[in-house]
Amino acid sequence: MTDTDHRTMRHVLRREIAGTIGLLTDEHDFRVMRRYRSFTFDDHTTYLDQVEALLRTRAAQGSHTTIALFDPEDYAAFCAGTGLEPDTPASRTRFTAELATTGPTVSYDGRPLTELVPELVDEAVRQATWEYAATLLARLGPCATCGEDIGRATFARASHLVTRVLDTAPPGNRHLVCSVTGTPETLLAVLHADQQPDGTQHLDEAELLEFTTVLALGLATRSPGGLVMRTSAPGTPDRVYGWRLRGDQGDGLVPLTAGEVFDAYCTDVESGELISPESGVDYCVPPDLGDGGAPPAHRH
């Protein structure tokens, strides 16, 4: 076989290899990485332009690339834990490979980085929220009275409630937001349930896990919070309704009145002043969730 044949085969094989790029999304992280002499970029804007050019080149060659969020502090901890010398490209490559399986990532789909970076940051926030909520839920441990695992039991209850909320919603695309306060910081989780042409709903499993975990944490800790649903369907006004979290009462969700939902949507969070309601939106009471075989609430 000739050298030309070997080069052709290697070129074909390169198209079969998926790649991951660890991206420094903001100026601060970029400046931190400049302390390493082997990191030779000196301007963040130029760095982003070069990354985008590389992404376009790989896409044109038929290669798939995943973009991972590169955090300098996490990188330093990774090198310390693995005994790697941090000031080498090889160590950065090892860390990036680790990010591909454990960290927040998005796939390059041809959109500019100005659109992809916010999506990547949102994914990082979502993953951090889930990890934080899951840790707090696990720390609750077993009930001192009956020995039941409080976190596991409340997660099962939250899963049932999410199912009931989705099952009782009117047809259309559903957008749910769950907020829990009382922890060191307010936790927010979002769940999209888009209706497909055949009537089934599409749910992102990662979103569903995060949403259920945050709801379970609010119920288990009896923290102030709420769950709001917005449904959209062609030819009908959007419907908005919600519940207040009450981990010590009933199924844990107390329906909000139409007036309470209206006030929540039509009040500026920071100033407290009224804002104009959206046109084509009905603020209403939620449907009855019923019982439907819900796991019993933990009472101890």
Side-chain angles (χ1 to χ4, degrees), residues 23-26 29 67-70 104-106 113-129:
L23 185 67
L24 295 159
T25 59
D26 62 58
D29 287 348
I67 306 172
L69 189 66
F70 195 106
T105 61
V106 296
L113 284 181
T114 52
E115 294 183 21
L116 287 174
V117 166
E119 186 175 314
L120 179 59
V121 172
D122 286 346
E123 178 64 23
V125 170
R126 190 177 78 178
Q127 181 170 319
T129 298

Side-chain angles (χ1 to χ4, degrees), residues 228-251:
V228 176
M229 161 81 86
R230 180 169 183 151
T231 62
S232 304
T236 63
D238 283 10
R239 298 186 65 189
V240 178
Y241 53 82
W243 296 263
R244 184 181 298 107
L245 267 61
R246 291 294 297 272
D248 57 343
Q249 289 189 4
D251 62 6

Side-chain angles (χ1 to χ4, degrees), residues 20-27 29-30 33 39 41 44-55 65-72 92 95-97 99-100 104-106 108 111-121 124:
T20 303
I21 291 179
L23 185 67
L24 295 159
T25 59
D26 62 58
E27 183 76 37
D29 287 348
F30 181 83
M33 288 303 295
F39 186 80
F41 292 96
H44 189 231
T45 300
T46 302
Y47 161 81
L48 292 176
D49 289 342
Q50 292 300 314
V51 169
E52 190 156 14
L54 176 61
L55 290 169
T65 308
T66 298
I67 306 172
L69 189 66
F70 195 106
D71 183 278
R92 292 194 288 274
F95 178 64
T96 300
L99 290 177
T105 61
V106 296
Y108 179 68
R111 286 180 292 164
L113 284 181
T114 52
E115 294 183 21
L116 287 174
V117 166
E119 186 175 314
L120 179 59
V121 172

Side-chain angles (χ1 to χ4, degrees), residues 65-110:
T65 308
T66 298
I67 306 172
L69 189 66
F70 195 106
D71 183 278
E73 292 185 6
D74 290 345
Y75 172 63
F78 173 80
C79 290
T82 56
L84 293 174
E85 163 56 50
D87 198 0
T88 66
S91 296
R92 292 194 288 274
T93 301
R94 284 274 301 275
F95 178 64
T96 300
E98 184 81 6
L99 290 177
T101 58
T102 62
T105 61
V106 296
S107 296
Y108 179 68
D109 56 9

Side-chain angles (χ1 to χ4, degrees), residues 28-264:
H28 171 75
D29 287 348
F30 181 83
R31 288 198 302 269
V32 172
M33 288 303 295
R34 289 195 63 202
R35 68 188 179 191
Y36 300 118
R37 298 177 65 180
S38 60
F39 186 80
T40 56
F41 292 96
D42 56 13
D43 179 77
H44 189 231
T45 300
T46 302
Y47 161 81
L48 292 176
D49 289 342
Q50 292 300 314
V51 169
E52 190 156 14
L54 176 61
L55 290 169
R56 288 196 300 265
T57 299
R58 285 180 54 81
Q61 295 171 346
S63 298
H64 174 81
T65 308
T66 298
I67 306 172
L69 189 66
F70 195 106
D71 183 278
E73 292 185 6
D74 290 345
Y75 172 63
F78 173 80
C79 290
T82 56
L84 293 174
E85 163 56 50
D87 198 0
T88 66
S91 296
R92 292 194 288 274
T93 301
R94 284 274 301 275
F95 178 64
T96 300
E98 184 81 6
L99 290 177
T101 58
T102 62
T105 61
V106 296
S107 296
Y108 179 68
D109 56 9
R111 286 180 292 164
L113 284 181
T114 52
E115 294 183 21
L116 287 174
V117 166
E119 186 175 314
L120 179 59
V121 172
D122 286 346
E123 178 64 23
V125 170
R126 190 177 78 178
Q127 181 170 319
T129 298
W130 170 75
E131 291 175 350
Y132 179 69
T135 299
L136 293 183
L137 203 59
R139 286 178 181 172
L140 295 175
C143 173
T145 302
C146 67
E148 182 178 34
D149 187 300
I150 298 174
R152 186 175 301 168
T154 313
F155 185 89
R157 185 160 158 248
S159 296
H160 173 82
L161 287 174
V162 172
T163 299
R164 294 299 301 151
V165 166
L166 292 173
D167 287 348
T168 57
N173 294 334
R174 294 84 178 262
H175 178 87
L176 293 87
V177 177
C178 180
S179 62
V180 173
T181 59
T183 52
E185 58 186 69
T186 298
L187 297 181
L188 287 174
V190 177
L191 178 62
H192 299 87
D194 294 335
Q195 190 168 22
Q196 305 302 300
D198 61 0
T200 60
Q201 349 179 66
H202 172 71
L203 289 169
D204 182 282
E205 292 299 324
E207 276 192 358
L208 179 60
L209 177 60
E210 180 207 344
F211 190 90
T212 306
T213 303
V214 170
L215 176 58
L217 180 63
L219 295 175
T221 58
R222 301 181 181 180
S223 300
L227 191 159
V228 176
M229 161 81 86
R230 180 169 183 151
T231 62
S232 304
T236 63
D238 283 10
R239 298 186 65 189
V240 178
Y241 53 82
W243 296 263
R244 184 181 298 107
L245 267 61
R246 291 294 297 272
D248 57 343
Q249 289 189 4
D251 62 6
L253 295 180
V254 178
L256 296 174
T257 66
E260 288 173 323
V261 176
F262 179 88
D263 289 344

